[in-house]
Amino acid sequence: VYTPEMFINGIYGMFTDWDYAFSYLAITEIISVNAEKGSSPGDPGGDKELFDNLTFTSTAGSLEAMWKRWYKTIGRAEQAIEYTESYGLTNDTYKNRLIGEAKFLRALCYFYLVRGWGDIPVQNEDLTMRAPKEDIYALIEQDLQDAINVLPEKSEYDSRDLGRATKGAAQALLAKVFLYQSKWQQAYDYATTVIGSGQYDLESDYALIWRASADNGVESIFEIQGRGESIAHGVQQYCQTQGARGDTGWGWGFNTPSENLLNTFNAEGDEIRRDATIIFRNSTLWDGRVVGATENAMYNYKAYSSANAGSDDTDKNIRILRLGEIYLIQAEAANELGNTGQALSALNKVRNRVKLANVTINDQAQLRQKIWDERRLELAFEHDRWADLIRTGQGEDAMKKAGKNFVKGKHDLFPIPNKQILEFPTITQNPQW
């Protein structure tokens, strides 16, 4: 017989499949000016070249894969909640915790969907019509509030439950959800709560954040667990698709850092984050691996696994939420609220870790831009760059400077996948698609 916990574990399992190793890269980083398609010129990676060039359409497989993945995960969460509620568990604390975990994961998927597509169908209500994005955000906020009320703090879990959704994870995601809606006071309050919870701290060495030794570490708020006692099924091929390509390489070489990103690191004098984010051709990695004359000049260091570099399955946990970003959410919200001192304090906390000078700007508009720029350098290749460009209204300018034809009012949202519209013709398409 299946226990409720097995059902809940099955939701987490949805985050470790192939879609996150390839399609996810296309719609988060390759599409942005942080990354190029990479690999060989003759290998488009399915539709990866189309995302790189901003020429994808509603039939793009990467969009369809992630749309389907997130809705299926939501469906699994709903089944798990129903099963857990009706199973007859007598320990209410345990039962409520399991339901809280499912609600957190459901909220995370709806957040990815709403920020990518805007108005979207609600899974258990009506798949034939799109609900207004405000309604979706309200559902997300409710799920996260419910989760906050019942989930333990990170330090309260048994070691065997390490990596499960926590109260802090729900608070951190809620801060981010409020940030995306420009609800500055709420974003500020939740970020401040997480920072002040005593559950998290900044990893002293930025480069350590993505190593196996820092999995679920001091800075980690939520991450996808790609690691067991024995490597059985990590996040399938996440490291392989992004590994260095060529005779001295260990992977396919997709999702490579752009010259644009490298120049931005260099212009800021940000060597620490640059060298923790980018693997350079003809260099030696932290574990002694020699990167020789690879096909591409640069690769994503944050996707590197020392133990399982080019394996199909690896020990790589994918960081979803960490304290560094929460400081930047606090900084951005504080600046919008006119609290310059607090904004500078949070911003400089992140900068000081990587030995960069304090920012002393007092002008709100200039400080806003500085915080946005800091997000880019701090969070490069953590799958938020495209969403950030859209959220902050920088998409058109950034893409056009990179020679890509961003159409305002069109590229602000992804097209609803064509297959979804064929199945439910009542679903309207996004503008200009």
Side-chain angles (χ1 to χ4, degrees):
V1 67
Y2 292 107
T3 64
E5 191 166 319
M6 288 174 180
F7 267 65
I8 304 301
N9 292 349
I11 316 169
Y12 289 99
M14 293 292 278
F15 290 89
T16 64
D17 274 3
W18 161 248
D19 294 331
Y20 286 97
F22 216 32
S23 297
Y24 187 53
L25 312 182
I27 74 169
T28 58
E29 293 289 351
I30 292 173
I31 188 175
S32 81
V33 287
N34 269 6
E36 309 290 351
K37 168 187 74 77
S39 185
S40 298
D43 186 350
D47 58 10
K48 306 305 169 287
E49 197 158 30
L50 301 178
F51 281 90
D52 198 5
N53 296 328
L54 221 56
T55 54
F56 61 92
T57 67
S58 65
T59 59
S62 294
L63 283 176
E64 187 194 321
M66 294 319 298
W67 170 276
K68 197 188 292 181
R69 166 70 40 190
W70 286 323
Y71 270 112
K72 280 189 166 180
T73 310
I74 289 165
R76 194 173 278 201
E78 281 164 1
Q79 283 183 311
I81 290 168
E82 206 175 299
Y83 190 74
T84 305
E85 282 174 339
S86 62
Y87 186 80
L89 288 175
T90 53
N91 181 336
D92 279 350
T93 306
Y94 174 59
K95 178 178 90 173
N96 292 337
R97 188 204 92 197
L98 292 176
I99 292 168
E101 290 178 61
K103 286 185 174 181
F104 170 83
L105 296 169
R106 178 168 68 180
L108 181 61
C109 293
Y110 269 127
F111 178 54
Y112 287 142
L113 286 161
V114 74
R115 75 178 190 177
W117 283 272
D119 303 348
I120 52 168
V122 177
Q123 171 86 3
N124 62 353
E125 287 180 16
D126 185 356
L127 287 172
T128 69
M129 302 297 287
R130 297 169 65 180
K133 64 177 185 290
E134 294 76 16
D135 293 3
I136 305 298
Y137 273 117
L139 286 176
I140 294 168
E141 289 170 21
Q142 187 62 57
D143 265 352
L144 292 174
Q145 294 285 4
D146 290 351
I148 288 165
N149 292 337
V150 295
L151 289 178
E153 293 282 14
K154 183 178 176 179
S155 61
E156 293 169 347
Y157 270 108
D158 288 342
S159 58
R160 75 177 189 92
D161 289 318
L162 199 63
R164 291 186 180 278
T166 61
K167 185 189 293 288
Q171 290 166 332
L173 182 55
L174 193 47
K176 190 166 179 169
V177 165
F178 284 132
L179 181 83
Y180 270 77
Q181 298 175 84
S182 304
K183 292 183 177 177
W184 305 117
Q185 188 63 56
Q186 294 100 313
Y188 178 81
D189 289 345
Y190 277 95
T192 303
T193 298
V194 173
I195 290 165
S197 69
Q199 297 289 313
Y200 312 100
D201 205 349
L202 292 179
E203 193 74 59
S204 59
D205 179 351
Y206 181 84
L208 291 180
I209 297 171
W210 295 273
R211 298 197 193 154
S213 60
D215 283 348
N216 307 306
V218 67
E219 182 158 344
S220 168
I221 299 176
F222 186 70
E223 53 194 67
I224 301 308
Q225 303 298 307
R227 193 166 179 222
E229 287 304 310
S230 62
I231 308 298
H233 177 54
V235 180
Q236 187 190 339
Q237 293 170 269
Y238 182 79
C239 303
Q240 187 184 68
T241 56
Q242 299 177 79
R245 184 182 182 101
D247 293 341
T248 58
W250 55 90
W252 301 3
F254 282 95
N255 196 35
T256 55
S258 65
E259 203 73 31
N260 182 305
L261 179 64
L262 174 62
N263 292 342
T264 308
F265 276 121
N266 289 340
E268 190 61 32
D270 190 355
E271 292 178 14
I272 291 176
R273 287 187 297 205
R274 177 196 70 195
D275 294 346
T277 304
I278 301 173
I279 289 174
F280 292 97
R281 177 193 277 150
N282 295 321
S283 64
T284 303
L285 303 188
W286 68 269
D287 56 1
R289 185 187 298 274
V290 176
V291 184
T294 52
E295 186 157 345
N296 313 89
M298 297 180 275
Y299 298 97
N300 175 9
Y301 215 154
K302 292 180 181 179
Y304 175 65
S305 160
S306 180
N308 309 83
S311 309
D312 285 0
D313 292 313
T314 68
D315 63 351
K316 192 80 193 172
N317 281 11
I318 300 181
R319 302 345 183 208
I320 301 289
L321 290 163
R322 60 182 179 84
L323 191 64
E325 180 180 11
I326 306 307
Y327 272 113
L328 293 178
I329 290 174
Q330 186 191 46
E332 187 172 339
N335 183 53
E336 297 301 334
L337 294 167
N339 189 345
T340 314
Q342 185 60 59
L344 289 170
S345 167
L347 173 63
N348 289 329
K349 183 107 179 153
V350 171
R351 289 175 63 81
N352 292 164
R353 164 172 51 188
V354 291
K355 312 282 191 284
L356 292 177
N358 282 343
V359 172
T360 55
I361 298 166
N362 282 312
D363 177 80
Q364 188 184 44
Q366 287 176 8
L367 184 52
R368 177 184 298 129
Q369 186 62 53
K370 191 70 185 163
I371 293 165
W372 289 348
D373 294 346
E374 198 70 31
R375 276 186 72 88
R376 182 183 190 190
L377 299 178
E378 176 72 19
L379 302 170
F381 287 91
E382 294 180 50
H383 306 292
D384 268 341
R385 184 58 187 158
W386 178 255
D388 257 346
L389 284 173
I390 300 302
R391 173 179 74 84
T392 58
Q394 298 176 97
E396 184 177 21
D397 188 48
M399 299 309 283
K400 287 199 165 157
K401 275 184 184 155
K404 293 168 189 182
N405 185 28
F406 184 101
V407 179
K408 191 132 186 64
K410 175 181 181 179
H411 287 116
D412 303 290
L413 293 170
F414 292 135
I416 303 288
N418 188 53
K419 276 191 181 169
Q420 188 69 53
I421 289 182
L422 290 176
E423 194 174 342
F424 297 115
T426 47
I427 294 183
T428 52
Q429 185 52 282
N430 275 325
Q432 300 183 52
W433 289 103

